[in-house]
Amino acid sequence: LESLGIEIIKTKNDNGKVSLKDLMRILGEEKNIDSIYVEGGASLHASLLKERLVNKALIYIAPKIFGGFKAKSPIGGEGIKEPENALKLSDGSITKIDEDLFLEYYIDYK
């Protein structure tokens, strides 16, 4: 990848996983990047929310119902069990794209 001009940033935390806080610090302070788009899986989304490294959620909803005990979820990790502890979304907008809905909201960590 480096031979193609791609810069690789290596960070890890005490568990041997990517240190998201260090990565964001490097991107911001050393690379002058002030905004990134993350499209990941449930574990990455949960980790970013837990570390409070996300300020906006871009959510696509299709008019389909599926699920079950083993269904994938957009947010993994321990989750939030009580509704009163749920992260709130604010200052948002909803756009209809064909049959789908696109939601753009800020995350309120209060």
Side-chain angles (χ1 to χ4, degrees), residues 36-55:
I36 65 167
Y37 179 89
V38 176
E39 187 173 346
S43 294
L44 177 58
H45 294 159
S47 295
L48 288 165
L49 289 168
K50 183 177 181 180
E51 297 289 334
R52 295 181 170 221
L53 295 172
V54 178
N55 67 349

Side-chain angles (χ1 to χ4, degrees), residues 63 82 92:
E82 302 300 325

Side-chain angles (χ1 to χ4, degrees), residues 15 74 106:
N15 296 329
Y106 288 91

Side-chain angles (χ1 to χ4, degrees), residues 27-46:
L27 292 174
E29 294 175 7
E30 298 178 20
K31 306 298 178 189
N32 295 314
I33 296 172
D34 64 2
S35 180
I36 65 167
Y37 179 89
V38 176
E39 187 173 346
S43 294
L44 177 58
H45 294 159

